[in-house]
Amino acid sequence: MTAIPQRPARGLTPLLVPLLAGGLLMIALGVYGRAHTPTGFAVGVAGFSGALPMKVWLTTGAFVLAIVQVISALSLWGRLGVAIPPAVHRWSGRAAFLLTIPVAFHCLYALGLQYDVPRVLAHSLLGCFFYGVFTAKMLALPRRDAPGWTLPVLGGLAFTVLVGLWLTSSFWFFTAVGIKV
């Protein structure tokens, strides 16, 4: 009886730097959000009636593109039976991330990390966590020695956190305030 050759076990060592960098960024954003004195005014709301509608619609755009990310990732991993070009995944991810930048900038600069209202606290913590997970995913992406579950787990976490961000911001706004541009 011959032994079946096994692939060498991949440890977590290749993920050490990406996870550490993501964790440090997450903590840095949270500390900055608490230590920074919020300005209380919006920056760059061109085309929108105010800061909240701007953030709501940009977050909704990122949320829709995150759904495209999940669908295209499933296609890339051969789970759909339909071939979606890899460029769709790359560009929808880039666009989704870019849509989050003005939102995060406004949240940190104008509002800071708030903890008085449970929904706002959850939103603040999810925002910090999103950028930490995103950083870890981007740094793990080129690592060929990372475990096979790395990208699906980090991508799934990024999507889940973005859904949480959308629920605690845009969904709340649409249901509590209404649809405004």
Side-chain angles (χ1 to χ4, degrees), residues 40-107:
F41 63 89
V43 177
V45 295
F48 295 96
S49 61
L52 278 177
M54 175 206 60
K55 290 170 32 176
V56 162
W57 287 107
L58 291 179
T59 303
T60 298
F63 173 67
V64 169
L65 288 169
I67 293 170
V68 172
Q69 281 279 283
V70 170
I71 293 168
S72 60
L74 288 170
S75 172
L76 289 173
W77 289 87
R79 301 287 193 245
L80 288 184
V82 176
I84 296 175
V88 171
H89 187 74
R90 285 191 296 270
W91 283 101
S92 63
R94 290 172 181 150
F97 179 75
L98 287 175
L99 289 176
T100 70
I101 297 294
V103 175
F105 177 78
H106 177 269
C107 287

Side-chain angles (χ1 to χ4, degrees), residues 13 22 29 35-36 41-42 96 107 113 125 161:
T13 306
L29 288 172
H36 165 70
F41 63 89
C107 287
L113 192 146
L125 295 176
V161 171

